[in-house]
Amino acid sequence: MPCGEDWLSHPLGIVQGFFAQNGVNPDWEKKVIEYFKEKLKENNAPKWVPSLNEVPLHYLKPNSFVKFRCMIQDMFDPEFYMGVYETVNRNTKARVLHFGKYRDVAECGPQQEVDLNSPRTTTLERQTFYCVPVPGESTWVKEAYVNANQARVSPSTSYTPSRHKRSYEDDEDMDLQPNKQKDQHAGARQAGSVGGLQWCGEPKRLETEASTGQQLNFLNLSSPFDLNFPLPGEKGPACLVKVYEDWDCFKVNDVLELYGVLSVDPVLSILNNDERDASSLLDPMECTDTAEEQRVHSPPASLVPRIHVVLAQKLQHINPLLPACLNKEESKTCKFVSGFMSELSPIRAELLGFLTHALLGDSLAAEYLILHLISTVYTRRDVLPLGKFTVNLSGCPRNSTFTEHLYRIIQHLVPASFRLQMTIENMNHLKFIPHKDYTANRLVSGLLQLPSNTSLVIDETLLEQGQLDTPGVHNVTALSNLITWQKVDYDFSYHQMEFPCNINVFITSEGRSLLPADCQIHLEPQLIPPNMEEYTDSLLSAVLPSVLNKFRIYLTLLRFLDYSISDEITKAVEDDFVEMRKNDPQSITADDLHQLLIVARFLSLSAGQTTLSRERWLRAKQLESLRRTRLQQQKCVNGNEL
């Protein structure tokens, strides 16, 4: 262990120390952040911090220091809380100053109560994000993070495994202390909420109130509460994340790594239930929050825990095999990156061979799949996203499992992905576009609410004849806009709000795709395996895990390389284009030149070259010529192929 456990087990004790030393001087807050920053710089310290992604909630101690890898799914309105408040002893009248930061519930000692009229009370503001685990995160990514984490956790004293089978009423602690239990509930009922910080008259809360029943609710998700995950079948905790500094730096769909104080105080659930009951008695004109809004914004802490953020970092990528930060300047000096770049050529050759097998022996399609997998939007010119490279693999067997197993291969290579089965039923019934629910005052997620660099595989081979209804037409339009403009228009009822994105779309189809694509490559299988599942299994088992990891590093790292074209090569490309136009003005357009430059860009980067060479330009022309020839041949065979 790099350092003592106090900062991990009792971070609020550390905060209390700085607050006590500095009083109301705001410098104490900066010192807290610096303290935890320094602690996390110590040898392997981040690996000792328990993660909500890997550790079940009931194994984490309330008010301990935790981390969470997540995507911002929604942003709630800022809330006010008591940054500093004063308590007074009912007997001695002694006054004590407390901090409210990193807390949901105000702490009161025996015989103490909060003095709401104290002139020393300070009201501050914090922002709440609703965060979910990264949508579509690959299994290998999850496993790598689990294996790297060295946090020593066991069921906390209030949630021991032997008690998981008992109901809330059978809790032995409560049986042993029935009077204390009743007093606790009485105290909770008297509790109130002031400035976003809950307070309660009892000196100490029983951890046992975070009951077994609530924990099972969390694990089985038997609660009717919708966790609002963008993709179906997702697992993991959703969290309400309280941010105190620089929240303007973050936006919806950003992927973050958060470090902060875990709050799962059961009093929150009791208070929120009581508030909802009480709100029904209030004058409707005075009650600004609807019951539905309260339910969504204040879910049970056992189901949706709170994290009070001490440190937050926006992640460029979620590949656990690479350094978290891959800034252009840092990547040049990083030993890991420079060492990897020196052995790039054999890795590319092995990856090409691996994908050729996955594509049934088609090496040209494998070349284009590599270019697609390293493509990324590197800038936007006006509304045009530059660098997107949507590939349509046509010629795929209809109604077969080919796409399913090709997707399995892609899942083993990229950090996050999703396969959309494009059936009439799915297009008509699935929710693609996030929309604003004004009753609950939240953003209801949709399939296209995905973080940057997600691989979206659209399987068109399952499409049968049928009628698209209005939602289906809107979904197809949303997919087309995503591919063409790399944006999704979220539905806010009275208007649409444009959210730029950077999602790699790969389409498999029998004929030409119904959706727009930057590049169509027709599959020419050299072999037809009798059993695709066995073929894919043997292909994956034949690759060493170390080699597979190299492929994963390769595909992520190359997205972050700089790229440029020298004046000399620019002049040569222009001359070449003029020459091609002379020979055949009809077949070469400005769009074709743009396509050639995109292919040349990613072809150069795939070889680890950050500038375009004459050799790579000629190779790009050759690949495009082979691809076009294939399509022409298909046009002769099947008139509606192009």
Side-chain angles (χ1 to χ4, degrees), residues 107-177:
E107 296 293 320
C108 303
Q111 305 302 317
Q112 285 186 333
E113 59 184 28
V114 177
D115 180 2
L116 300 178
N117 299 314
S118 170
R120 302 170 78 184
T121 299
T122 306
T123 303
L124 299 174
E125 191 179 36
R126 61 190 177 197
Q127 176 70 56
T128 303
F129 298 155
Y130 186 84
C131 294
V132 296
V134 180
E137 190 174 68
S138 299
T139 304
W140 65 266
V141 173
K142 289 182 170 68
E143 289 174 351
Y145 278 113
V146 169
N147 294 335
N149 200 301
Q150 299 173 30
R152 287 183 291 204
V153 291
S154 58
S156 67
T157 53
S158 54
Y159 321 131
T160 57
S162 62
R163 292 169 53 205
H164 287 174
K165 296 177 183 176
R166 280 203 284 280
S167 70
Y168 179 71
E169 290 76 19
D170 293 335
D171 189 296
E172 64 184 357
D173 285 0
M174 296 223 172
D175 288 342
L176 291 171
Q177 299 172 312

Side-chain angles (χ1 to χ4, degrees), residues 553-573:
I553 294 169
Y554 173 92
L555 293 174
T556 302
L557 181 60
L558 297 185
R559 292 171 179 266
F560 296 97
L561 294 183
D562 255 332
Y563 176 81
S564 60
I565 305 178
S566 66
D567 293 340
E568 182 186 350
I569 294 295
T570 302
K571 180 72 168 64
V573 167

